[in-house]
Amino acid sequence: MVETILPVELNGAVVRKGEKIIIGPLDLSIGGTGCSILIGPNGAGKTTLLRLLHGLERANSGAVKWSARKNEVFSRQSFVFQSPVVLRRSGVENIAYPLIVRGVARKMARAEAEKWIDEIGLGDVGRYDAHVLSGGEKQKLAMARALITKPEVLFLDEPTANLDGASTLEIERLILSARDKGTRIIMATHDFGQARRLADDILFMHRGRIHERASTEDFFDEPKTEEANKFIRGDLLL
Amino acid sequence: MNDLLAGLQSAIGLILHLDHDLVEISLRSLQVTISAVLISAAIGLPFGAWLSVTRFRYRRLAIALLNALMGLPPVVVGLFVYILLSRSGPFGVLDLLFTPTAMIIAQVIIVTPIIASISHQSMRDLWFQYHDLLISIKTTKWQRMKALLWDGRRGLLTATLTGFGRGIGEIGAIMIVGGNIDHLTRVLTTAIALEVGKGDFPLALGLGIVLISMAILINLTIHILSRTEREGTW
Ligand SMILES: Nc1ncnc2c1ncn2[C@@H]1O[C@H](COP(=O)(O)OP(=O)(O)OP(=O)(O)O)[C@@H](O)[C@H]1O
Ligand SMILES: [Mg+2]
C-alpha cells in the first residue's frame, strides 16, 4: 500500500433530510487499526454515519476528510449492507464482480472468487443463482464480495442481524481474519456480545450524536453517560 | 360461423400448399418487423438502462413523454414518415417511399418507445435493488447500465417481444408508407385489409390465422430458447 487512506475525520458533519437533522454535528477521527463498533438504539443514526463515511450520503454541512486523494479513497473500502444486496447471477459471479469492475480479466476474477467460495464454505451452492441462497449464505456472499478487493477499510452494517449463532460466528471469523490482515473494521451492531467479542473501541450513538467513545472494556464496565448506562442495562431510551 | 370454418379451411389449405403468395407475404411481414424490432431494441434497451441510472432535471418529464409515445397512433406516424420521405419532403431524394425500408422506419418509430418504456420499468426496479451496491463498488455509468441490461435480460426479452407483437400486427403506418404494393410491400396485415375490402372473407381469415400463429410461434420459440439457460426463479 502506497499511503494509507486513514485516518478519516469528521468536522462538524451534519446529514439532514428535509428540515430534520439525522446525524450531527459530529467531530470524529477514526484511524489506526482494529475494529470500532457503533452501538445505539434504533434510529440513532448508525447506518447514516456509516453511509456518510463511505460516501453514500453527503454531508449537508461540515466535512468528511480522508487522508488520501478522493478518487483513491473509495476504491480502497468496502461496505456490507444490513440486508445483503445480491446480483441476479451465480454466487461466483457475485463475488467476482468487484474485480471485474476494476478491470481484472474475467477468468482471473472467477478463479479468485472460487477461492472465496471455498473460504466461506459455500461449495457447490455457489455455482447456482445467488437468489436461492439462504439469508446467512447471502450475507457470507456479501462478505466475500466485500473482501475480495482487499479493502483497507471495511464498513459493516449489522452484518449478523437475522442470523443464527453458527452463521454469526462464521461471519465474525471472516471479520477477525480481515482485521488480522490489516483491514480497519468499522461496524454497527445491536448485539452486545458481538461488540464485546470484536470491538477495540465502542462509539455510542443516540439521536444522531456520538455520546461516548471508549475502549470496549471501559464502555461496558463503567459507561460515562447516563444514556449509555441505561442503554446497556436495557432500559428504554426516550 | 360458416365464415369462420371456411377461414380455418382456407388457412389450412394455404399452409399445406405452401402457397407462394402466402409465403412471400409472411416472410416480408417477418422481415420488416424483425428488422424494425432489432433496430428498436438496439436503441430502446440502452436508452431504458441509461434512463434508469441517470438523474437529470427533467427526468420525470422525459419518462412521462416516453410513456406517452408508447401510445402514438400508427396512422399519424405513417403520415409523418410519408411526409418526410415523399418527393418534396426533406428525405425525398432517398427515394424510399413505398419500399420495405420505409415500412421499417415507420415501425422503428412505433416500437422503440414501447421497448424503451417497458424495459425501463423493469430495469428501474432492478436499479432500486442494486443502487447502493453499485455505487459502493465505484462502478462507472456504463458498468451500471451493463449490469442492468445483463441481469435484467428476462424483462428486456419481454419488452422486446411486446414490441414485436405490436409491430407484426400493425397496419396503419405501413399501409401509408408501404402502399400495399403486390410483390413489393404487401404484408400480412395489409393483405388482410385488401381481401376484406374485396369481400374474400375466407382468404382474409386464413391470412389472419397465419398471422396469429406466427406471432405465437415466435413468442414460444424465444421463450423456450431463453429457458434453456435454466435460470431458476427469475
Ligand atoms: N431518507 C430519509 N428521509 C428521512 N428520514 C430518514 C432518511 N434516512 C434515514 N432517516 C431517519 O434517520 C434516522 C436514523 O436512521 P439510521 O438508519 O441511520 O438509524 P440506525 O441507527 O441505523 O437505526 P437501526 O438500528 O434501526 O438500523 C431514523 O429516524 C430514520 O427514520
Ligand atoms: Mg441501521
Side-chain angles (χ1 to χ4, degrees), chain A residues 51 54 88-89 101 129, chain B residues 130 132 136 143 151 231 234:
Chain A
R51 290 173 61 92
H54 187 52
R88 292 183 181 178
R89 310 172 180 204
V101 162
D129 313 328
Chain B
Y130 280 13
D132 282 350
S136 166
Q143 287 170 331
D151 292 353
E231 278 180 284
W234 53 78

Side-chain angles (χ1 to χ4, degrees), chain B residues 92-126:
Chain B
V93 281
L94 300 176
D95 213 10
L96 288 176
L97 202 58
F98 305 130
T99 65
T101 308
M103 295 152 76
I104 293 172
I105 293 172
Q107 291 215 332
V108 166
I109 297 176
I110 295 167
V111 173
T112 301
I114 295 173
I115 293 184
S117 176
I118 297 178
S119 69
H120 165 251
Q121 280 165 33
S122 83
M123 283 188 281
R124 187 187 49 194
D125 293 345
L126 196 57

Side-chain angles (χ1 to χ4, degrees), chain A residues 17 20 22 41-48 82 158 190:
Chain A
K17 302 280 175 190
K20 192 179 163 209
I22 307 291
N42 290 131
K46 303 179 294 296
T47 298
T48 309
Q82 182 169 342
E158 299 185 38
H190 281 290

Side-chain angles (χ1 to χ4, degrees), chain A residues 183-202:
Chain A
T183 297
R184 184 71 171 89
I185 311 286
I186 304 173
M187 67 183 270
T189 187
H190 281 290
D191 181 343
F192 289 168
Q194 180 167 67
R196 284 180 193 271
R197 285 191 297 275
L198 300 181
D200 295 303
D201 65 338
I202 301 280

Side-chain angles (χ1 to χ4, degrees), chain B residues 121-191:
Chain B
Q121 280 165 33
S122 83
M123 283 188 281
R124 187 187 49 194
D125 293 345
L126 196 57
W127 178 237
F128 191 71
Q129 297 171 31
Y130 280 13
H131 179 270
D132 282 350
L133 177 70
L134 294 197
I135 288 178
S136 166
I137 53 186
K138 291 287 135 192
T139 47
T140 61
K141 180 175 283 190
W142 170 235
Q143 287 170 331
R144 290 169 197 177
M145 287 170 58
K146 240 167 51 177
L148 293 186
L149 287 166
W150 178 246
D151 292 353
R153 56 195 180 280
R154 277 280 158 125
L156 307 192
L157 194 64
T158 308
T160 307
L161 287 178
T162 308
F164 175 81
R166 181 76 188 274
I168 196 83
E170 193 277 318
I171 179 164
I174 50 173
M175 184 69 109
I176 294 179
V177 302
N180 192 23
I181 302 167
D182 205 4
H183 300 304
L184 185 60
T185 60
R186 183 159 301 163
V187 292
L188 281 168
T189 50
T190 54

Side-chain angles (χ1 to χ4, degrees), chain B residues 64-83:
Chain B
L65 217 64
L66 185 63
N67 289 338
L69 287 180
M70 277 215 291
L72 273 183
V75 183
V76 180
V77 173
L79 184 62
F80 177 71
V81 174
Y82 185 99
I83 292 169

